Amino acid sequence: MRVEIPRSHPRYESLLIREKLVEGFNEGYVVPQGLIAHGRGECFDYLIGEKTIEPAFKAIQAAAATLLLAKHPVISVNGNVAALVPGDVVRLAKVVNAKIEVNLFYRTEERIRKIADVLRSHGADEVLGVDDATATIPELFSERRRVSPRGIYIADVVLVALEDGDRTEALRRMGKTVIAIDLNPLSRTSLAASITIVDNVVRAVPKLVEVASTMRSQPKEFLEEIVRNYDNSKTIAEVLEHICQRLRELSEKVIKR
Ligand code: PTJ
């Protein structure tokens, strides 16, 4: 059952996102744990103000440049990402010439196939990780260790969203550059990633498409300069500072009411 949300509802956008996840859940490719994960994300989204903040935009620029410079970039897709931004994932893959791979924490063959179908219905020509997840990420014991030898296994840059800390750390140990989209600036993934975009996937992925489309006509040296000047620890610190500042302003407003 899809609930009709009136456009006039003050939380229209947020409720629409929830409905997409519920739809994915009813169709059998979003796990119940994905709904819980989303609730956690919503809480952080409140704290940052439900918009792409400046440090996230800096991370998006660094991520776009890194993806464009990569030899084997891969976008890793799970249930929540497939429900929320399937079309943008396909667009991003085309703009930066990346492969798309389904990789699940709660892996079942049925979910993998359904997610691949969602991506294909949004224009993906090839989806890895379906019949070819035959390689293994070392020292990782979750189902996320199973990867494609033509995808994540050989990738130099992997874009992940709503990821678990263990795999991010394992991918880093393999020498890969990990770009993470995660609304929690203090999650293990956020802290372990090479580039952390603290933003909602529904805003971050379309922005990545936009920025990468503009950047791709720029010379290699220009992109390298963006990557060289990027400091991920500083970016995360700026996000935390933004949250502190916002909470201070909100507490003053509440007192004045
Ligand atoms: O589809 P599967 O089987 O691979 O499972 C996917 C989930 C999301 C269930 C799995 O990866 C999981 O349990 O994730 P975690 O460990 O709960 O981490 C999710 C992280 O993503 C948390 O830090 C959330 O704050 C963050 N998050 C939630 N919703 C969003 C988000 N970040 C960006 N955009 C969101 N919409």
Side-chain angles (χ1 to χ4, degrees):
M1 180 188 71
R2 184 160 191 166
V3 178
E4 274 310 313
I5 305 158
R7 273 203 165 266
S8 55
H9 194 288
R11 302 215 41 81
Y12 176 77
E13 294 296 337
S14 169
L15 294 178
L16 206 67
I17 297 172
R18 281 190 184 180
E19 286 308 310
K20 284 187 186 170
L21 286 167
V22 170
E23 212 168 281
F25 173 72
N26 289 335
E27 283 171 19
Y29 64 87
V30 170
V31 278
Q33 294 87 339
L35 305 180
I36 296 169
H38 184 73
R40 191 141 51 115
E42 275 185 338
C43 174
F44 284 103
D45 213 4
Y46 264 63
L47 294 180
I48 66 171
E50 295 175 299
K51 60 177 189 193
T52 303
I53 58 175
E54 192 49 35
F57 189 68
K58 271 200 271 180
I60 287 171
Q61 285 180 312
T66 301
L67 285 165
L68 287 166
L69 289 167
K71 280 201 176 67
H72 298 290
V74 174
I75 304 171
S76 179
V77 176
N78 64 17
N80 286 46
V81 172
L84 295 179
V85 281
D88 294 305
V89 163
V90 174
R91 273 186 283 281
L92 180 62
K94 289 192 173 150
V95 172
V96 302
N97 203 13
K99 294 208 177 325
I100 299 176
E101 179 164 343
V102 181
N103 183 276
L104 303 180
F105 190 79
Y106 302 99
R107 183 188 171 93
T108 65
E109 294 310 312
E110 195 193 349
R111 286 187 67 217
I112 298 257
R113 275 174 214 294
K114 284 184 177 171
I115 291 169
D117 285 346
V118 169
L119 293 164
R120 283 193 206 101
S121 74
H122 281 83
D125 302 323
E126 186 183 33
V127 181
L128 300 178
V130 184
D131 296 314
D132 63 337
T134 53
T136 305
I137 299 176
E139 300 167 58
L140 185 64
F141 302 104
S142 76
E143 285 298 306
R144 277 208 167 134
R145 71 183 182 280
R146 298 176 203 278
V147 290
S148 165
R150 290 177 49 234
I152 290 172
Y153 193 71
I154 56 150
D156 51 348
V157 177
V158 186
L159 172 69
V160 299
L162 289 90
E163 180 75 17
D164 66 286
D166 285 349
R167 191 168 76 129
T168 307
E169 287 168 4
L171 291 172
R172 289 301 307 275
R173 279 198 298 275
M174 287 175 86
K176 300 178 192 301
T177 298
V178 179
I179 301 168
I181 304 174
D182 193 326
L183 277 162
N184 177 359
L186 295 173
S187 72
R188 277 197 303 136
T189 291
S190 286
L191 297 175
S194 326
I195 299 175
T196 307
I197 303 170
V198 182
D199 201 7
N200 199 317
V201 278
V202 302
R203 295 188 298 268
V205 184
K207 282 218 169 58
L208 261 172
V209 175
E210 201 184 302
V211 172
S213 306
T214 318
M215 260 186 199
R216 78 181 186 166
S217 54
Q218 299 289 344
K220 197 171 166 234
E221 296 69 34
F222 176 82
L223 304 181
E224 285 168 346
E225 180 80 3
I226 292 175
V227 175
R228 226 186 347 265
N229 290 337
Y230 180 76
D231 179 340
N232 204 46
S233 304
K234 190 164 165 259
T235 303
I236 294 174
E238 284 171 6
V239 171
L240 294 173
E241 196 41 58
H242 166 88
I243 293 173
C244 292
Q245 179 64 24
R246 191 172 134 74
L247 291 180
R248 274 193 293 271
E249 284 167 14
L250 286 173
S251 78
E252 276 163 27
K253 254 195 206 159
V254 170
I255 286 173
K256 282 187 194 139
R257 273 208 311 188

